Amino acid sequence: LQERTVDESGFHVHGGGVRTHLPWAAIARCVETEAGFLFYVDDRHAHLLPKHALRPADVRRVRAFARTALGGQARLASG
């Protein structure tokens, strides 16, 4: 089982023998889909943060962090 979180410093994954921290500077873009948030590190590789694992307030927080950190590289739903 892996826990995935987003905060002001970036995207984090830990659990199942994995510990990853991607600072916002290492994230090329963020795309929000119906299923979740895709954090791209290059044109073909992304990490998924599934929405089903988030409360509505957390979805809004992820959007706010991505907008602040990535500006025009964040393709997000309004809210």
Side-chain angles (χ1 to χ4, degrees), residues 4-70:
R4 296 165 187 242
T5 58
V6 175
D7 62 20
E8 62 278 345
S9 69
F11 178 78
H12 312 272
V13 179
H14 71 274
V18 173
R19 185 179 270 317
T20 301
H21 168 68
L22 291 173
W24 287 111
I27 299 171
R29 71 184 187 278
C30 176
V31 177
E32 182 178 358
T33 70
E34 189 174 314
F37 296 90
L38 292 164
F39 296 92
Y40 283 86
V41 294
D42 61 31
D43 288 340
R44 298 186 330 177
H45 300 94
H47 294 272
L48 173 66
L49 178 62
K51 283 185 181 176
H52 70 80
L54 302 172
R55 297 179 309 233
D58 294 329
V59 170
R60 291 189 295 273
R61 282 185 51 230
V62 171
R63 286 180 186 140
F65 285 134
R67 276 191 193 105
T68 299
L70 300 174

